[in-house]
Amino acid sequence: MATAGVSAARNAAGILRSKEGGRSRRESSGWVKCSSTSSSTIMGGVTRLVWGGGHHRQQLLSKAGLLLSRRSIGQQQHLVQPVRAAAAEGGESSGERSISFVEKYPALVTGFFFFMWYFLNVIFNILNKKIYNYFPYPYFVSVVHLLVGVVYCLVSWTVGLPKRAPIDNNLLKLLVPVAVCHALGHVTSNVSFAAVAVSFTHTIKALEPFFNAAASQFILGQQIPLTLWLSLAPVVIGVSMASLTELSFNWTGFISAMISNISFTYRSIYSKKAMTDMDSTNIYAYISIIALLVCIPPAVIVEGPQLLQHGFKDAIAKVGLTKFLSDLFWVGMFYHLYNQLATNTLERVAPLTHAVGNVLKRVFVIGFSIIVFGNKISTQTGIGTTIAIAGVAMYSFIKARMEEEKRKQKLA
């Protein structure tokens, strides 16, 4: 019994040490010492009684054993009390743990992410087009978009929000093709935005699922079901109808938007090959840095001489230096933040919700751009745009369900 009491004391000391620090250590050690001394005293008395002889030997042995048993039981009860108290304290603290707002209202938080994604995307497109109305240099503006985002990422890494993930040569080799396609798609999108109406560029970019499906089947060798191909027919028909009667149509804007679709398609292909354990925030930061380095040379070669001759002077003369610099800074911030929020939002939802979100985002951008800029569109353009968006929705729903079925089959 004395051995069991010492062992229990050691266990209790270990539990209490984590709760009360050095004070518990001293109290537990003192208790063990006292327990051992008292036990030794009792056992010594019992030995003397046993070997001392006398006609009361058996009676004294019984009393001594009873005394030892009672004392051991009392020691164990004394140990159990602080252990129970510690367990009760832990249970009470876990029960009283405050639930965060994100855990308590997950749907509300996800809705807020969607709202901010759409809001920043719409603001970016509107401000971007306004800049092109007085500063038509899409290569330089594309560099500014990425530059502001890179500075934002570097500052975030400096303060540790988030902590920078290390990168090695192998990962760099995987991310370079992704970043090159991202840079090409970004620049050509901006060339299209500068040349035609925002609504028309987004209508052309609705063809991106078609290019993705074609690349998946003819480049990656994945079999695309007939139902998925049929859902893309309205997209092609709708974009064709909208393009034929678009009042702001020109070949530069149309071809640039198509190149952007192809570039982003290849970006998706290379992204699948570059799947890593690194979080999306760090991956997007590294891609932005590499894309910035890719975009700088073409901007200097294509637009550098014109910018130095009259590009900057004309913009400052029209809106002033303060507004010019402010517009460039904020369009870069909106570009980076809406892309980052899009990534964070889509990580929180299921594939089908993802599909709905992408379709609604394009509808919002097209609708708000028409309202803000007062773009006049023909009836055929409006009908074609609606058909194209409906086709994108059908395609997204079908593909999302296919991916969900594949995921369930892997889990089963």
Side-chain angles (χ1 to χ4, degrees):
M1 293 295 292
T3 304
V6 173
S7 177
R10 288 175 180 170
N11 293 334
I15 296 174
L16 294 176
R17 188 181 301 114
S18 63
K19 290 290 182 180
E20 299 178 9
R23 181 175 63 85
S24 298
R25 189 181 303 110
R26 290 193 297 271
E27 292 175 356
S28 300
S29 301
W31 191 95
V32 172
K33 183 177 181 181
C34 178
S35 173
S36 301
T37 304
S38 301
S39 299
S40 300
T41 303
I42 295 172
M43 291 302 295
V46 171
T47 303
R48 287 194 298 270
L49 287 170
V50 170
W51 298 110
H55 64 279
H56 298 296
R57 181 180 300 174
Q58 295 299 327
Q59 185 178 3
L60 290 173
L61 277 173
S62 300
K63 291 182 178 180
L66 180 60
L67 177 62
L68 179 59
S69 299
R70 287 178 177 176
R71 186 169 186 84
S72 298
I73 294 172
Q75 291 169 359
Q76 289 181 345
Q77 289 177 345
H78 179 70
L79 283 172
V80 170
Q81 288 177 356
V83 174
R84 287 177 178 173
E89 181 182 352
E92 183 179 355
S93 61
S94 62
E96 294 178 355
R97 186 181 68 86
S98 59
I99 301 176
S100 65
F101 185 85
V102 176
E103 295 174 339
K104 193 173 182 180
Y105 303 104
L108 188 61
V109 174
T110 302
F112 175 76
F113 270 79
F114 269 104
F115 171 77
M116 291 303 299
W117 174 27
Y118 290 0
F119 175 75
L120 293 175
N121 197 318
V122 169
I123 296 299
F124 162 75
N125 279 277
I126 292 174
L127 181 57
N128 203 42
K129 184 60 178 179
K130 286 184 175 180
I131 291 174
Y132 289 137
N133 287 338
Y134 69 83
F135 187 68
Y137 296 94
Y139 286 85
F140 178 79
V141 174
S142 298
V143 170
V144 172
H145 291 165
L146 295 170
L147 177 62
V148 174
V150 167
V151 172
Y152 179 89
C153 292
L154 295 177
V155 173
S156 300
W157 279 342
T158 302
V159 299
L161 295 173
K163 184 178 180 181
R164 186 183 71 85
I167 187 171
D168 54 22
N169 291 332
N170 293 329
L171 181 57
L172 186 63
K173 291 178 182 178
L174 293 174
L175 292 182
V176 166
V178 181
V180 171
C181 293
H182 178 72
L184 181 59
H186 178 54
V187 171
T188 50
S189 292
N190 279 288
V191 171
S192 181
F193 284 136
V196 296
V198 174
S199 57
F200 181 60
T201 299
H202 278 279
T203 302
I204 301 299
K205 287 176 70 63
L207 282 172
E208 190 173 327
F210 174 82
F211 287 95
N212 283 332
S216 297
Q217 178 151 341
F218 300 112
I219 297 178
L220 297 180
Q222 299 176 357
Q223 188 63 34
I224 302 299
L226 180 61
T227 54
L228 208 59
W229 282 114
L230 292 176
S231 68
L232 289 170
V235 181
V236 177
I237 295 172
V239 171
S240 301
M241 289 178 60
S243 301
L244 290 175
T245 55
E246 171 61 38
L247 300 179
S248 66
F249 178 88
N250 66 56
W251 284 106
T252 300
F254 178 81
I255 294 174
S256 297
M258 294 293 284
I259 295 175
S260 175
N261 285 334
I262 298 173
S263 300
F264 286 139
T265 297
Y266 275 95
R267 183 185 66 178
S268 300
I269 294 174
Y270 287 120
S271 295
K272 292 179 180 179
K273 296 180 180 180
M275 295 295 289
T276 65
D277 294 333
M278 187 184 297
D279 63 282
S280 59
T281 302
N282 275 288
I283 287 181
Y284 184 69
Y286 283 120
I287 289 176
S288 297
I289 293 172
I290 301 171
L292 174 62
L293 299 177
V294 173
C295 287
I296 290 177
V300 173
I301 295 172
V302 176
E303 297 178 344
Q306 299 177 1
L307 288 171
L308 294 177
Q309 289 180 0
H310 54 80
F312 293 123
K313 294 179 181 178
D314 292 347
I316 294 172
K318 291 178 181 178
V319 299
L321 178 61
T322 302
K323 179 173 175 51
F324 177 53
L325 295 178
S326 176
D327 284 351
L328 291 178
F329 169 76
W330 283 113
V331 77
M333 281 296 296
F334 286 133
Y335 171 76
H336 179 82
L337 291 177
Y338 102 73
N339 276 286
Q340 189 60 67
L341 272 172
T343 303
N344 296 337
T345 302
L346 299 181
E347 285 180 343
R348 297 177 59 89
V349 298
L352 188 58
T353 309
H354 170 191
V356 175
N358 270 325
V359 174
L360 290 179
K361 181 208 72 173
R362 201 171 296 280
V363 172
F364 268 80
V365 172
I366 291 175
F368 275 98
S369 65
I370 292 174
I371 294 172
V372 171
F373 295 105
N375 297 329
K376 295 181 179 180
I377 60 174
S378 65
T379 302
Q380 183 173 327
T381 299
I383 295 174
T385 300
T386 303
I387 294 174
I389 296 299
V392 172
M394 290 173 56
Y395 170 85
S396 301
F397 294 157
I398 295 174
K399 186 175 182 182
R401 288 186 176 181
M402 289 172 55
E403 292 178 354
E404 185 66 18
E405 291 177 358
K406 289 181 181 179
R407 187 184 68 82
K408 289 181 180 179
Q409 290 176 357
K410 289 181 180 179
L411 294 176

